[in-house]
Amino acid sequence: MATNEVKVLGSWPSPFAMRPRIALNLKSLTYEYIEEKLWEGKSELLLQSNPVYKKIPVLIHGDNKPICESLIIVQYIDEAWSSGPSILPSDPCERAVARFWAAYLDDKWFPAVKSIGVAKGEEAKKAAIAQVEEGLALMEEAYDKCSKGKGYFGGDEVGYLDIAFGSFLGWLRVTEKFNAMKLLDEGKTPGLVKWADRFCSHAAVKEVMPDTDKLAEFGKFVIAKIRAAGAAAEMH
């Protein structure tokens, strides 16, 4: 496959932009990655490709219409290149369970992780940390059921839920670093601790998982911007 047939618009700090890249790597597909420096403004290609949300990631496959939203892109990759290893479970019930937990992570859990960094006051921060820890306990249980004793949520190989959850590990490590704490803890979530190490060292993941220190520097920049915007709003 020619490189120009598949393009991914993304941004290196974005966990959502990691997802289609991991899926393409799992399928051993060649693609062109186009870095969007969102903090400097959005490119014309991005605005044309995703006029509704104006967000990354976007997958452009040949002459087809651009595909938007990270988990929808992962599903598209799995269906469009069905000859490679399957990403979604073949069983309808297992597929539904994987989608359920992926939606939970996006809608409930990761917003709680982000809120730790910008929480106003210790009580707000404690509440956010408790929500994240509660979510990790739920995911430990889900991992035990979905993996069936194997290495990944998807079984023997990285699957849909592995991609959905694993893409957040970089920011989880940054949150731990900023707060001098362990959220993924050997005592509370032993299965997830081993899974996280396995996931991050996987050949399809290694090249797209951002360095924790580099991500932490970017995190400081983002938090400063959020706090500055909040302070400015309070002045009006």
Side-chain angles (χ1 to χ4, degrees), residues 6-11 14 16-18 20-21 24 31-34 36 43 45-61 64-70 73 76-77:
V6 182
K7 295 177 182 177
V8 176
L9 308 188
S11 184
S14 168
F16 304 103
M18 279 182 63
R21 299 182 73 191
L24 288 165
Y31 61 95
E32 180 185 355
Y33 175 67
I34 301 169
E36 289 279 335
S43 72
L45 181 59
L46 174 58
L47 296 173
Q48 288 168 9
S49 303
N50 190 357
V52 177
Y53 288 112
K54 302 177 177 66
K55 291 194 303 186
I56 53 142
V58 176
L59 179 92
I60 302 170
H61 179 200
N64 296 329
K65 288 182 179 177
I67 313 296
C68 307
E69 295 296 293
S70 63
I73 296 171
Y76 173 82
I77 291 166

Side-chain angles (χ1 to χ4, degrees), residues 205-223:
V205 177
K206 275 193 295 189
E207 68 175 71
V208 297
M209 179 66 73
D211 175 73
T212 303
D213 290 337
K214 187 181 175 186
L215 202 56
E217 285 304 310
F218 183 80
K220 288 175 189 173
F221 165 74
V222 172
I223 290 168

